[in-house]
Amino acid sequence: MPEHPYVVLSCAVSLDGYLDDATPERLLLSNDADFDRVDALRASCDAILVGAGTVRADNPRLLVRSADRRAARVARGEPASPLRVVLSASGDLDRKAAVFTAAPPDSDPPDSDPPETVVFSGSLSDLLDDLAKRGVRRLMVEGGASVLTAFLAEDLADELQIATAPFLIGDPAAPRAFGPAQFAQSPGRRMILADSASLGDVGFARYLAARERSTDGDFLRLTIELSRSSPPSLRAYSVGAIVVDGDGEVISTGYSRELLRGLGDPDKNHAEEVALAKLTRGAAQPDPRLASATIYTSLEPCSPRASRPLSCTDHILAAGIPRVVLALREPALLAACDGADRLRAAGVEVVELPELAYLVRAVNDHLLQ
Ligand SMILES: NC(=O)c1ccc[n+]([C@@H]2O[C@H](COP(=O)([O-])OP(=O)(O)OC[C@H]3O[C@@H](n4cnc5c(N)ncnc54)[C@H](OP(=O)(O)O)[C@@H]3O)[C@@H](O)[C@H]2O)c1
Ligand SMILES: [Zn+2]
């Protein structure tokens, strides 16, 4: 049985947490910049899911809007738009709804057939099994309220991307994004803030689910997903790094080119460097948790480095971290890297999980195939 797809929940809310108002007209919460972010997220997924309530209320098309993004998907051998999935127990759906009939504009690329739409009525866990068998590795869930709540209540969401519109709705008859429910992501289990930004007047935040993740593979998978927050650069890798203490708690995160005051030109920031700088900056004593920590990094820590005097290998050794887990050795493309060998020679345990390397290659397909 293939692994469950990685599940990204996506929604826009008002400041008081509503997904919509109570009127039949569709309420616009996002702005153009945020719709473009959502479009990029759609283009990065293999399937997009909504509940039947959203089809009935909003009649969405669930297509990739940008012709460039559709063309890039086709160039990668993917359909122009992801598979569309509707959750419905009743089957009460208008087959003329846009989700079944709308196709990407047939001019570019020449893909005039409407992409396939699947209606699913079983449990969420069966749904994820079914999608995995269809080759879906990343699933985007775009709402509405009951579906978002169900994924969180069943602890099946890996990530939440949430846009906050700068106004209040205040009507208890309107749908709230989440709950009420018993959530796994309770105050005792905080999520990981992987990215945040202001997109015009809309606030954007990206959270990774802090599940009970005991395996190296789970943490490394999260780390690779984190690398997607890296601002794009054609001449540099997008890397993620997560530091986990001996109790399995995530204590720091970083990604390539992440902005961190005090580090200098953010374009030169490396993921491991940022994650460690957050823990060590300005501290009089080394953080005691580092002595039993593991740093997960999607790509081998750099050893020689042109842009700054200290490499990420140097930073890891200086921090006294005893364990490193990585997915992909750095190819001899931009530099000759021997970070893994240098770390091992210094007594650091280095675990390589090459079975996840294909995910790192997918994030870095501008440099690696
Ligand atoms: N702001 C945003 O980002 C955003 C995004 C999407 C939607 N929305 C808003 O959300 C509202 C709709 O939310 P909603 O809660 O009414 O609808 P919904 O969550 O989209 O859909 C609920 C329906 O999904 C089906 N369903 C849910 N869980 C299921 C399960 N485990 N198995 C099988 N089927 C399942 C059921 O369909 P059947 O009834 O057919 O059995 C259920 O009635 C609208 O106001 C819409 O505008 C906002
Ligand atoms: Zn580095």
Side-chain angles (χ1 to χ4, degrees):
M1 171 81 68
E3 222 184 297
H4 271 181
Y6 183 87
V7 176
V8 183
L9 307 188
S10 169
C11 64
V13 296
S14 61
L15 286 174
D16 47 351
Y18 288 99
L19 278 183
D20 195 359
D21 59 19
T23 68
E25 291 79 43
R26 185 169 182 192
L27 175 73
L28 277 192
L29 290 135
S30 292
N31 56 20
D32 287 350
D34 188 55
F35 279 127
D36 190 59
R37 173 193 64 78
V38 169
D39 197 56
L41 177 60
R42 281 184 180 177
S44 76
C45 290
D46 305 308
I48 307 175
L49 177 146
V50 292
T54 297
V55 173
R56 293 189 286 256
D58 296 345
N59 194 24
R61 301 184 315 153
L62 303 186
L63 296 171
V64 173
R65 290 164 203 232
S66 146
D68 287 350
R69 292 188 183 118
R70 291 197 304 270
R73 286 179 55 92
V74 171
R76 292 196 296 266
E78 298 167 359
S81 250
L83 175 72
R84 297 178 287 191
V85 185
V86 180
L87 260 188
S88 174
S90 70
D92 174 15
L93 287 162
D94 177 358
R95 292 292 160 159
K96 295 202 187 74
V99 75
F100 299 111
T101 53
D106 53 9
S107 49
D108 61 298
D111 177 292
S112 51
D113 289 339
E116 194 187 350
T117 304
V118 175
V119 177
F120 198 88
S121 61
S123 70
L124 294 187
S125 173
D126 286 350
L127 163 83
L128 294 180
D129 286 342
D130 182 273
L131 292 179
K133 284 193 211 128
R134 292 171 188 262
V136 172
R137 297 199 303 231
R138 280 169 68 76
L139 169 67
M140 176 177 182
V141 176
E142 289 208 36
S146 12
V147 167
L148 295 170
T149 299
F151 272 91
L152 285 166
E154 295 186 33
D155 203 9
L156 291 172
D158 296 290
E159 173 173 338
L160 170 63
Q161 297 206 6
I162 188 162
T164 308
F167 53 80
L168 297 146
I169 289 178
D171 180 351
R176 274 192 188 279
F178 315 115
Q182 268 212 316
F183 293 119
Q185 315 299 329
S186 59
R189 247 215 255 176
R190 297 165 80 92
M191 296 178 87
I192 302 161
L193 178 62
D195 196 10
S196 62
S198 37
L199 300 170
D201 65 354
V202 167
F204 163 68
R206 177 174 185 224
Y207 295 94
L208 305 183
R211 293 228 200 105
E212 300 295 336
R213 287 178 188 272
S214 47
T215 71
D216 282 338
D218 291 335
F219 279 123
L220 194 56
R221 180 82 220 247
L222 267 190
T223 305
I224 299 166
E225 289 299 331
L226 175 64
S227 72
R228 292 178 182 271
S229 287
S230 310
S233 161
L234 284 179
R235 291 178 315 282
Y237 297 110
S238 292
V239 182
I242 290 184
V243 185
V244 177
D245 72 9
D247 296 329
E249 288 285 322
V250 173
I251 56 173
S252 193
T253 63
Y255 54 80
S256 303
R257 300 174 287 288
E258 181 175 347
L259 187 63
L260 188 67
R261 269 194 202 104
L263 263 194
D265 177 2
D267 280 352
K268 296 183 174 158
N269 287 351
H270 285 193
E272 306 93 313
E273 176 179 44
V274 171
L276 292 174
K278 287 178 187 170
L279 290 170
T280 51
R281 250 184 339 167
Q285 304 287 329
D287 188 317
R289 295 172 298 180
L290 288 171
S292 54
T294 297
I295 185 163
Y296 294 85
T297 175
S298 55
L299 191 69
E300 180 178 13
C302 62
S303 45
R305 180 179 182 186
S307 57
R308 285 192 185 144
L310 288 184
S311 67
C312 290
T313 298
D314 296 327
H315 286 299
I316 291 168
L317 292 174
I321 294 184
R323 194 161 180 272
V324 176
V325 180
L326 62 96
L328 181 67
R329 289 246 187 161
E330 183 174 337
L333 191 69
L334 306 179
C337 175
D338 63 350
D341 294 340
R342 276 191 53 204
L343 289 162
R344 279 200 183 106
V348 174
E349 182 191 355
V350 179
V351 178
E352 298 181 49
L353 299 181
E355 61 271 28
L356 295 181
Y358 74 98
L359 293 167
V360 183
R361 291 180 193 280
V363 174
N364 289 283
D365 65 357
H366 58 298
L367 290 171
L368 311 170
Q369 274 106 43

